[in-house]
Amino acid sequence: MRNESLTPEALPESLAGFVPATTPETSKHADGTLVDKYGRHVTYIRLSITDRCDFRCTYCMAEEMTFLPRAQVLTLEECLRIVNTFVGLGVTKVRVTGGEPLVRHNAVWLMEQIARLDGLKELVITTNGSQLERYAAPLRDAGVKRINISLDTLRADRFKEITRVGDLAKVLRGIDAARATGFERLKLNAVMMRGRNDDEFIDLVQFAVDKGIDVSFIEEMPLGEIGHGRQETYFSTEEAIARLQTRFTLLPSAESSGGPARYWRIPDTQTRVGFISPHSHNFCDSCNRVRITAQGELYPCLGNNDAIRLLPLLRAHPTDDAPLRQAIMHTMGIKAKGHDFTGQMNAPQVVRFMSMTGG
Ligand code: SAM
Ligand code: SF4
């Protein structure tokens, strides 16, 4: 691995004005991995390959969205260059997300290329499932190991309300196609919303049990300005667990997928039930990830607006990855200690939508 100088003078022009808050010693650990100034190892990246989506989920997007012009979006080759550079810095897990990653033309090509990178252990994706009927087998053949599929409701009319345009039957067929294809693991993701789907948590878990897959419940996060007040719909993990316990036995599990979810097992089933609780259980101490948006911004923290723009760097140095590596290492120095969404539910603390940063 090359050992570039990390002095501010050595920063490329596109990072002008950016004051590195770190030194080489704090931004890159001796073992070759990325370490932030709080000692957290970054081994996982989430890459959004498009800001576009075929759904308009009410908690994620506004009804009218303006999407990025194509020239401002990373090409798939640029995506690969970024991932390759991170893998060279010790990243072992990549999640491809969006927007909806499977609406991006040639997304499967990118997965194939990423899966082949030396040093990468796990390639996973998050999808809304709308295209899975068609892409489950090609994704598995490309080397994708696990898929997270968003599913907030099992009722077709509600599904249409929540996604504004989605077709539940198509997503359910996509889930079955993925099950038939044989991924290592499939997981459903449901955003918890009081008055919108909280009466279905038990049904969603039963559905996961019947299908032999996992399910995670996510507390809604205040990302982007949307149509409803989030305080009204906020539903806590604690209350959800109590509700599920009226039907299921939940055994706490020490298992982890390396992420913020805390898991429970249902005895005599294949199913793990996870909770991602950015409000009630802040997971920042063990954060091991950074996010890259479709326009090439590197966000070291989901709950914070600090970012570095990688796209100008990539385009200014088409054949030299050293400036990109430097920028990545410097970004470790600005990774926030944590986020705090408390009291921020109605006014978005983070101005971008989840579809921008990637879930
Ligand atoms: N389109 C894909 C999907 O829906 O799975 C991938 C991108 S989506 C932004 C990733 C995940 O973020 C989804 O599981 C979605 O439910 C979740 N999400 C979006 N907005 C959210 C919010 N405000 N709070 C919590 N989760 C959110
Ligand atoms: Fe699209 Fe996923 Fe956001 Fe829904 S949650 S609008 S499917 S990006």
Side-chain angles (χ1 to χ4, degrees), residues 77-252:
E77 289 75 11
E78 287 166 341
C79 290
L80 183 59
R81 227 180 122 192
I82 292 176
V83 175
N84 187 32
T85 304
F86 269 103
V87 171
L89 289 165
V91 162
T92 55
K93 177 173 173 183
V94 174
R95 177 175 301 279
V96 172
T97 178
E100 173 47 42
L102 297 180
V103 302
R104 176 93 194 239
H105 190 56
N106 278 341
V108 174
W109 173 86
L110 177 65
M111 314 285 175
E112 269 165 14
Q113 305 304 311
I114 294 177
R116 283 188 200 152
L117 294 175
D118 220 14
L120 187 89
K121 292 194 185 135
E122 211 180 4
L123 171 61
V124 295
I125 71 163
T126 302
T127 171
N128 63 22
S130 68
Q131 313 291 318
L132 266 185
E133 228 183 335
R134 182 168 158 211
Y135 285 119
L139 286 171
R140 193 255 343 258
D141 294 345
V144 173
K145 294 274 199 294
R146 294 193 287 118
I147 303 189
N148 286 358
I149 305 162
S150 297
L151 185 70
D152 304 316
T153 173
L154 293 164
R155 300 189 196 169
D157 52 340
R158 256 190 203 177
F159 191 82
K160 183 131 282 163
E161 262 168 48
I162 293 175
T163 61
R164 292 195 181 103
V165 284
D167 175 2
L168 175 67
K170 203 170 168 200
V171 171
L172 296 181
R173 288 200 302 272
I175 292 172
D176 283 336
R179 285 173 62 232
T181 304
F183 288 93
E184 267 177 24
R185 244 192 153 108
L186 296 178
K187 185 173 73 140
L188 304 177
N189 275 342
V191 175
M192 300 186 285
M193 292 166 285
R194 187 176 300 283
R196 301 198 178 189
N197 69 349
D198 62 313
D199 55 344
E200 283 192 77
F201 296 168
I202 288 175
D203 295 350
L204 283 163
V205 172
Q206 188 59 52
F207 178 82
V209 168
D210 294 344
K211 301 277 179 191
I213 60 182
D214 292 337
V215 57
S216 277
F217 292 94
I218 309 173
E219 287 178 353
E220 190 176 349
M221 290 175 247
L223 305 176
E225 190 79 67
I226 52 162
H228 65 265
R230 296 193 196 258
Q231 196 71 53
E232 298 156 25
T233 49
Y234 173 66
F235 201 99
S236 76
T237 292
E238 200 186 9
E239 195 178 343
I241 290 174
R243 189 164 289 189
L244 292 180
Q245 280 171 330
T246 63
R247 171 70 72 85
F248 303 101
T249 303
L250 295 180
L251 301 177

Side-chain angles (χ1 to χ4, degrees), residues 52-57 59-61 98-100 128 150 163 354-355:
R52 288 163 198 257
C53 186
D54 50 349
F55 291 179
R56 295 285 183 280
C57 301
Y59 50 76
C60 178
M61 291 192 178
E100 173 47 42
N128 63 22
S150 297
T163 61
M354 185 69 124
S355 57

Side-chain angles (χ1 to χ4, degrees), residues 4-18:
E4 285 95 12
S5 149
L6 291 174
T7 58
E9 302 75 53
L11 283 172
E13 217 172 278
S14 48
L15 287 182
F18 167 61

